[in-house]
Amino acid sequence: ENEGGTFFKSGHITVEFPPSFEDQPMEKEWSWDQRPVNLTCIARSIPNATISWWYNDLEIGRDALDRNFQILGHGPRSDLVITPLEPKYYRRYQCKAENPHGVNFHDIVLEEAHEPSVLQQAILDKSTATTLQFRFVQPTDIG
């Protein structure tokens, strides 16, 4: 406000920032019997980050061409669908998110699930004329 009067102007401020993985839903995923599995990467940033997938310092879809990998989306969300036909697919994968303000990485491990070992013990807790109630001691290897 001055001698000329009062003036107001509305504005909009955009705060830009590098990618982060604060909304990242997973760090480990499991598959078995060659079942396809979906690894999801969500990067939060302004402007939106471009996402790429890596393993062993190779970019999937560029350096590592394999029909058992399928990438769906490149940001701010990206899904890597893996059909693990061989043990070599069970490994650490890296999601790389990049925008003009920086780069960030997030690791997701794909592990092979297998049958759990036998229950260690079944303990009879309660019995009535019509019901038996058991408590189980979990297996040493849960798969």
Side-chain angles (χ1 to χ4, degrees):
E1 185 173 329
N2 63 20
E3 293 177 7
T6 303
F7 178 77
F8 291 99
K9 176 78 173 166
S10 296
H12 177 80
I13 296 175
T14 301
V15 177
E16 296 188 353
F17 55 94
S20 76
F21 292 105
E22 61 189 60
D23 297 329
Q24 179 60 31
M26 66 175 52
E27 293 183 7
K28 184 183 285 189
E29 194 59 50
W30 301 84
S31 182
W32 62 95
D33 290 340
Q34 301 179 350
R35 296 174 193 248
V37 63
N38 184 23
L39 305 185
T40 300
C41 191
I42 299 173
R44 203 172 152 160
S45 66
I46 296 179
N48 283 339
T50 300
I51 295 176
S52 55
W53 289 93
W54 299 73
Y55 77 94
N56 286 352
D57 295 324
L58 299 172
E59 184 177 355
I60 296 172
R62 181 167 294 167
D63 303 323
L65 300 173
D66 188 324
R67 63 187 174 129
N68 296 310
F69 293 129
Q70 180 183 11
I71 298 174
L72 306 172
H74 292 281
R77 175 191 170 127
S78 182
D79 296 295
L80 175 62
V81 181
I82 304 167
T83 305
L85 298 181
E86 300 174 34
K88 71 177 185 177
Y89 291 100
Y90 297 101
R91 61 175 59 230
R92 180 182 59 84
Y93 293 89
Q94 191 170 64
C95 168
K96 176 184 176 184
E98 188 172 10
N99 77 1
H101 301 289
V103 177
N104 202 348
F105 299 90
H106 181 75
D107 291 349
I108 301 174
V109 176
L110 177 59
E111 292 198 12
E112 184 174 15
H114 53 276
E115 289 183 17
S117 60
V118 187
L119 286 173
Q120 291 186 29
Q121 190 176 12
I123 302 166
L124 179 61
D125 268 351
K126 185 166 47 171
S127 63
T128 66
T130 59
T131 307
L132 293 175
Q133 184 174 339
F134 290 94
R135 181 170 39 96
F136 297 104
V137 178
Q138 76 176 17
T140 54
D141 180 1
I142 59 171

